[in-house]
Amino acid sequence: MTNKLNVLMVSSEVEPFAKTGGLGDVVGALPKALNKLDVNCIVIMPLYKCISQTYKDKMKYLGYIYIDLGYRHQYCGIFNLVYQGVKYYFMDNEFYYGDNKIYNDNDLERFAFLSKGAFEVAKYINFKPNIIHVHDWHSASMAGLLNDYYCHDEFFSQTKCIYTIHNLAYQGIFPKEKVLDLLPLNANIYNNTKTINLMALGIQFAHKVTTVSPTYAQEILTDAYGERLQNLLNIEKNKLVGILNGLDLTTYNPSKDKLIDYNFNKNDYQEGKKNNKLALYKQFDFDINNIDETPLIVIISRLASQKGMDLVLQIVERLLNEFAVKVVLLGSGDKNLENSFNNIANRYPKQFKVVLKFDNILAHKLYASGDLLLMPSAFEPCGLAQMIALQYGTLPLVRACGGLKDSIEAFNEYTLQGNGFSFNNYNDNDFYNTIKYALGIYHKKNLWNQIILNGFKDEFSWGKSAKKYLDLYLDAIK
Ligand code: ADP
């Protein structure tokens, strides 16, 4: 018998199986890091059609159960895969997860199935969790289900729930009747509302609430960042903790990364980055003359106003006109932004490339070959792109908010400290002037290299963050 802490992690996204953003990165990395701390952490997620066949071929079919959602009696096949030492359990249902998307129009029911089903799967596989750790609105209802329903089941009577907010902007607000039709939640507390906000439910009923950086944990208590949950968060603030995400350094390691053209490390990064840049310039038909003097600015981001993409749109043409720079934007999302960026790229084919899709391989190549990564977010719970960029010697230029403030220190020419560039006020002038300043430093190679070396020293591995989660779990079960 072991006395390991049993942690059940439930999420709509888990790298490398299904990811659209940082949530997938976090749930992909945290279980591994927890298990290194002698925790017994398993993960439950949907068996989406889009999960690569390579993984599906290695999965083991364990059996099936039926999950009741209101009057619906739904089949759930259970598959298991041990990947990098972590046990993953996949819930199969063709009706819910049979199209090619991670999210679609039926998300309330699809993730109600995941949330209620995860309790049933845990029982089926006989995994008695000390902690259930749920993420964003998709699995938030598990906090309410534990409080209202499953706590009466002896199997979960000792279980505590931790709820992590990755982005307060996506709350999962649905008509009350629909939610209560699907899930056995205590209807009495919703007498005076027409809707149920699943994120609010998670905040209210979890034993601890975390968010993904200390600064964001403070910001969301304010009117400016609270997304109308600030009152609830202030009431519950004693259980709110900010823990900065780490990075999966096995995935984001330029010396071993199989997705980039040339591997490099801290000692040969100048040559390595140049070779990657050359390959990318050839791929995009950019002029390779004067490559050392032509900074490559990269943007790897969802195209959403949260990410400051409207600021990028405001300044990009001016930037292309005034400076000998190349800019590559990889992202997708808001159609207006996509069209606007495309129009500009068509007018500046020698300087500006826009790739409007989710492309993991190109993302890695851009991190490896870029000089400057722009991340002028309006708000940023944590942000991973800036941390990834630092591993690859690409300097982040960020707006100082949320996790960007907790991870990027603006370069100080006098002390020679800092790992990037930052500005405070969300406006195009401050953003543009900071880029201008950064481009000035780019041509002072000794300073630029100093910042890259400063960035290499930063430790964003999951080890430190996982230890903080473990302490929180232990506190919750006390
Ligand atoms: P968010 O979760 O808000 O989208 P993060 O910075 O926390 O932002 O995480 C984004 C993750 O998704 C990073 O790993 C980034 O490299 C990746 N990413 C974003 N857009 C794309 C894209 N179009 N193609 C490939 N990877 C992308």
Side-chain angles (χ1 to χ4, degrees):
M1 274 295 282
T2 64
N3 277 329
K4 283 189 180 182
L5 194 71
N6 277 350
V7 176
L8 168 62
M9 191 88 60
V10 182
S11 173
S12 60
E13 295 185 28
V14 184
E15 242 265 318
F17 309 111
K19 161 182 156 180
T20 68
L23 168 65
D25 283 307
V26 172
V27 188
L30 180 57
K32 260 188 278 180
L34 283 167
N35 287 351
K36 277 197 192 132
L37 298 175
D38 223 21
V39 171
N40 187 18
C41 179
I42 68 162
V43 182
I44 296 182
M45 67 174 292
L47 185 66
Y48 299 111
K49 189 174 177 190
C50 60
I51 294 175
S52 154
Q53 195 58 40
T54 326
Y55 297 121
K56 286 186 180 159
D57 288 344
K58 294 190 185 123
M59 290 179 192
K60 191 171 148 208
Y61 174 68
L62 299 183
Y64 68 91
I65 54 175
Y66 277 88
I67 292 161
D68 292 328
L69 294 176
Y71 66 83
R72 303 158 196 80
H73 190 58
Q74 304 287 40
Y75 167 88
C76 175
I78 304 168
F79 287 79
N80 169 234
L81 175 69
V82 181
Y83 178 76
Q84 297 188 346
V86 178
K87 287 182 187 147
Y88 295 88
Y89 294 87
F90 297 85
M91 292 171 54
D92 180 32
N93 177 296
E94 184 71 12
F95 171 65
Y96 292 129
Y97 308 128
D99 75 1
N100 242 331
K101 297 193 190 123
I102 296 178
Y103 301 110
N104 72 22
D105 294 341
N106 190 27
D107 280 352
L108 168 61
E109 194 173 325
R110 296 165 83 231
F111 294 115
F113 179 77
L114 172 70
S115 302
K116 181 145 186 274
F119 284 99
E120 301 298 333
V121 172
K123 281 167 77 173
Y124 182 84
I125 59 173
N126 198 23
F127 184 84
K128 211 170 193 173
N130 303 101
I131 296 287
I132 292 181
H133 189 162
V134 297
H135 300 267
D136 271 352
W137 75 259
H138 318 91
S139 49
S141 66
M142 289 185 77
L145 288 171
L146 182 63
N147 187 70
D148 299 347
Y149 187 78
Y150 282 101
C151 66
H152 304 301
D153 185 327
E154 201 279 320
F155 198 82
F156 298 106
S157 58
Q158 301 301 315
T159 302
K160 304 288 183 213
C161 185
I162 308 292
Y163 177 49
T164 297
I165 301 167
H166 295 259
N167 192 334
L168 203 65
Y170 306 97
Q171 298 179 4
I173 303 171
F174 297 99
K176 175 172 77 176
E177 287 70 29
K178 286 197 174 163
V179 178
L180 295 180
D181 174 43
L182 291 164
L183 296 171
L185 295 166
N186 179 1
N188 293 331
I189 59 168
Y190 302 109
N191 281 341
N192 301 321
T193 59
K194 289 197 168 110
T195 56
I196 292 181
N197 180 325
L198 293 177
M199 182 166 269
L201 187 144
I203 294 167
Q204 209 172 345
F205 291 113
H207 297 92
K208 299 276 177 194
V209 178
T210 77
T211 188
V212 288
S213 69
T215 295
Y216 192 59
Q218 292 301 313
E219 287 173 346
I220 58 179
L221 299 174
T222 66
D223 292 350
Y225 292 91
E227 303 278 350
R228 289 190 277 183
L229 288 182
Q230 62 270 33
N231 290 343
L232 172 65
L233 284 161
N234 274 290
I235 292 168
E236 304 286 356
K237 79 173 175 205
N238 287 340
K239 61 184 192 192
L240 176 65
V241 183
I243 301 177
L244 193 70
N245 288 335
L247 257 196
D248 185 345
L249 296 178
T250 48
T251 307
Y252 299 111
N253 177 352
S255 66
K256 301 217 167 95
D257 189 335
K258 294 197 175 73
L259 303 181
I260 65 179
D261 293 301
Y262 296 92
N263 290 113
F264 59 88
N265 59 39
K266 292 172 189 178
N267 301 319
D268 64 0
Y269 72 91
Q270 295 192 29
E271 197 191 336
K273 283 187 74 68
K274 184 175 174 177
N275 286 334
N276 281 292
K277 198 168 167 182
L278 266 170
L280 190 92
Y281 277 27
K282 282 182 190 156
Q283 178 182 341
F284 285 150
D285 228 1
F286 283 159
D287 182 3
I288 58 168
N289 286 321
N290 241 347
I291 194 159
D292 288 333
E293 300 310 315
T294 316
L296 172 62
I297 300 178
V298 297
I299 298 155
I300 304 157
S301 174
R302 284 185 289 120
L303 296 187
S305 53
Q306 178 211 326
K307 295 288 181 183
M309 288 301 122
D310 35 6
L311 285 192
V312 176
L313 191 59
Q314 290 291 326
I315 59 99
V316 70
E317 238 179 307
R318 195 167 147 207
L319 184 66
L320 297 168
N321 283 324
E322 283 185 23
F323 292 94
V325 291
K326 309 283 182 206
V327 181
V328 179
L329 182 152
L330 169 64
S332 61
D334 181 294
K335 293 295 161 212
N336 287 332
L337 285 168
E338 288 191 355
N339 291 336
S340 308
F341 281 121
N342 236 350
N343 286 339
I344 301 174
N346 286 339
R347 281 186 277 120
Y348 294 85
K350 293 191 173 137
Q351 273 183 288
F352 188 27
K353 274 283 178 271
V354 168
V355 182
L356 298 174
K357 61 178 176 179
F358 194 91
D359 182 338
N360 193 37
I361 298 176
L362 181 58
H364 280 244
K365 289 185 178 191
L366 293 178
Y367 287 120
S369 53
D371 294 301
L372 195 62
L373 172 94
L374 302 185
M375 228 173 146
S377 304
F379 68 95
E380 193 59 74
C382 176
L384 291 174
Q386 81 282 11
M387 298 187 199
I388 302 171
L390 287 176
Q391 306 303 313
Y392 289 78
T394 300
L395 298 184
L397 188 158
V398 306
R399 189 174 92 80
C401 61
L404 297 173
K405 198 167 172 180
D406 293 335
S407 54
I408 301 303
E409 183 191 347
F411 178 59
N412 180 324
E413 274 182 67
Y414 303 101
T415 62
L416 298 183
Q417 283 179 336
N419 57 4
F421 306 93
S422 80
F423 65 103
N424 286 308
N425 297 319
Y426 191 81
N427 69 56
D428 48 347
N429 266 334
D430 288 12
F431 179 38
Y432 192 76
N433 288 333
T434 311
I435 298 178
K436 222 163 133 175
Y437 172 70
L439 293 177
I441 300 285
Y442 175 82
H443 295 290
K444 299 176 186 165
K445 293 288 181 211
N446 54 336
L447 293 186
W448 191 263
N449 284 316
Q450 180 66 53
I451 311 175
I452 292 179
L453 294 174
N454 292 349
F456 283 155
K457 281 195 211 123
D458 287 319
E459 247 295 331
F460 292 115
S461 77
W462 264 105
K464 257 196 288 182
S465 312
K467 175 74 176 63
K468 289 188 180 153
Y469 278 105
L470 176 55
D471 290 344
L472 194 77
Y473 297 159
L474 294 172
D475 198 21
I477 59 171
K478 231 193 256 166

